[in-house]
Amino acid sequence: MRWRFSTFEGLLLLLVVAAAGAVYAWIVYGTGWLIGATYALFMCTPIIAFERRIIFRRLNRRIHTFSTPVFFVASLAIYFVLLDIGYAAAGLIMGMSGVMNDHWMEAMLPSKTVLLFALAISGSLVFILRVRELLGRDVFLSLLTGRYRRPIQEERVFLFIDLAGSTSYAERNGDLRMQEYLGKLFATIADPVLRYRGSIDDYVGDAAVITWPFDRATNNAACIHCVFDILEMIDADAHRWQKEFGEVPRLRAALHGGTIVAAEIGLDRHKITYFGDTVNTTARLEGFCKTLNHQVLISADLARKMRLPHYVRVEDLGEHAVKGRGQKLGVLALRAGGAPAPQLAS
């Protein structure tokens, strides 16, 4: 698991850590809030960097293969080591520079109280960030604020991405190998989705459901850029896919947007769920990828609401009947390369 958050969120996280250190110094010593903030940053930042796999990536991956009790003990031991190193680095710098009156060697040795406090703060942040990662950024904030406690209508864009040939791959290689394959694929999808400020709503078998608020998706055609960034990343890494899994993923993708109803459901496990014709139509549109033999499809209604990227070519596939929908759906095929895409009248 690797956390993904924006620069603003990262700065906010560091601000929370620094504030906790300043408060601790003010409560315990009545002064030295700047020193407390510095110690806190030096102690907690390595833990956050470790959990984000910025440092010691192999060690991080290794402990995640352990059973839960062993993983917990190993994580605790690593945290204590990182806290000690961070405290020593901060003490050395402030002691040698004269910021602190203590001798630099004394400034490098943390007390048990300081270690426990730092462990509590960093552990709490790690827990919150892991919950956020499991739920997704937008879902986490929505559940936290109670935005969807009552069903509301809103405009959204949906992207359905499906792995072609997954059944035959599972038959040849087994279900466990298939899950490894899907895990790598979904991890690859996650970075472009974050880059274009989307949210992975759900994984359904070998498919991923991605969504954006309508304005965010259509602004600079973010949803279309996201699709082609995913395809480009897979093509660029084709030799590794072939070497590790014996084939390169072949994806089908469909984009559609419109009005939906969003609501928070569940008792033991809460989830934001989207209802309405827009979701069903996107799923049907993704099915057209196979029958119409095109990799990326978009509804004509959605395409008219944005300026298509210059590198995208468009082919009008006409109108098609959609099961459960009274009106036919205009369907366009998208592919990268060639002449600039014609801009559709809104």
Side-chain angles (χ1 to χ4, degrees):
M1 181 179 294
R2 181 179 177 181
W3 296 330
R4 299 169 169 88
F5 42 68
S6 65
T7 301
F8 171 76
E9 291 172 319
L11 292 174
L12 182 61
L13 187 62
L14 293 178
L15 182 62
V16 170
V17 168
V23 169
Y24 175 85
W26 179 72
I27 292 175
V28 176
Y29 302 106
T31 185
W33 61 271
L34 183 57
I35 294 174
T38 303
Y39 269 122
L41 285 172
F42 271 80
M43 295 175 75
C44 294
T45 300
I47 292 178
I48 295 171
F50 172 72
E51 288 291 347
R52 286 204 67 194
R53 295 185 182 175
I54 296 173
I55 60 175
F56 307 126
R57 295 181 181 180
R58 290 184 179 179
L59 178 60
N60 187 290
R61 286 194 293 266
R62 177 62 177 166
I63 67 171
H64 276 80
T65 64
F66 298 159
S67 63
T68 299
V70 177
F71 168 78
F72 178 77
V73 173
S75 297
L76 205 61
I78 293 169
Y79 286 3
F80 270 115
V81 171
L82 293 176
L83 288 172
D84 279 324
I85 293 174
Y87 191 96
L92 179 62
I93 292 171
M94 290 190 289
M96 296 290 287
S97 61
V99 174
M100 297 179 64
N101 295 327
D102 298 341
H103 188 271
W104 64 271
M105 290 190 67
E106 295 179 354
M108 293 175 62
L109 299 174
S111 66
K112 291 182 179 179
T113 305
V114 169
L115 279 177
L116 290 175
F117 179 78
L119 189 63
I121 295 298
S122 56
S124 299
L125 290 174
V126 166
F127 175 77
I128 292 171
L129 289 171
R130 285 196 173 179
V131 171
R132 172 190 175 278
E133 185 78 4
L134 287 170
L135 295 177
R137 177 185 57 209
D138 291 346
V139 172
F140 177 73
L141 291 175
S142 297
L143 290 173
L144 200 64
T145 59
R147 171 179 169 81
Y148 297 110
R149 289 286 174 82
R150 294 183 178 180
I152 62 173
Q153 278 192 330
E154 60 183 24
E155 298 285 315
R156 279 195 164 265
V157 169
F158 289 87
L159 164 63
F160 278 49
I161 292 185
D162 178 56
L163 175 63
S166 59
T167 302
S168 60
Y169 186 91
E171 289 175 351
R172 294 193 310 270
N173 299 279
D175 291 337
L176 290 177
R177 186 61 172 163
M178 183 67 211
Q179 287 305 311
E180 292 179 10
Y181 188 29
L182 287 175
K184 176 72 178 293
L185 176 62
F186 291 151
T188 301
I189 289 173
D191 282 326
V193 172
L194 173 68
R195 189 179 310 127
Y196 293 103
R197 302 176 63 201
S199 175
I200 299 178
D201 174 60
D202 204 356
Y203 299 107
V204 183
D206 58 1
V209 180
I210 300 158
T211 183
W212 292 262
F214 200 92
D215 291 342
R216 191 190 299 172
T218 55
N219 184 31
N220 295 321
C223 58
I224 295 178
H225 284 297
C226 180
V227 174
F228 285 101
D229 269 23
I230 292 170
L231 298 178
E232 184 180 353
M233 287 179 66
I234 291 175
D235 287 341
D237 216 18
H239 66 287
R240 293 186 180 179
W241 285 101
Q242 189 69 46
K243 181 179 179 181
E244 186 174 354
F245 296 101
E247 68 176 49
V248 180
R250 294 174 292 114
L251 302 182
R252 295 188 290 252
L255 284 158
H256 180 55
T259 302
I260 55 91
V261 173
E264 179 181 332
I265 62 171
L267 294 176
D268 292 338
R269 180 181 181 272
H270 289 250
K271 186 182 186 301
I272 307 299
T273 301
Y274 305 105
F275 304 91
D277 175 70
T278 298
V279 182
N280 298 330
T281 300
T282 310
R284 302 294 185 189
L285 184 61
E286 190 274 322
F288 286 160
C289 289
K290 186 175 182 180
T291 57
L292 300 177
N293 195 29
H294 283 278
Q295 187 174 30
V296 181
L297 298 181
I298 185 173
S299 67
D301 292 340
L302 176 59
R304 293 190 184 97
K305 301 295 178 60
M306 69 183 99
R307 185 173 182 82
L308 302 180
H310 65 87
Y311 58 82
V312 170
R313 294 189 65 183
V314 178
E315 181 181 349
D316 191 342
L317 302 180
E319 293 187 337
H320 295 264
V322 178
K323 185 177 180 180
R325 192 173 191 261
Q327 297 179 332
K328 289 186 176 182
L329 180 70
V331 179
L332 306 176
L334 304 180
R335 60 189 178 93
Q343 300 305 318
L344 304 177
S346 57

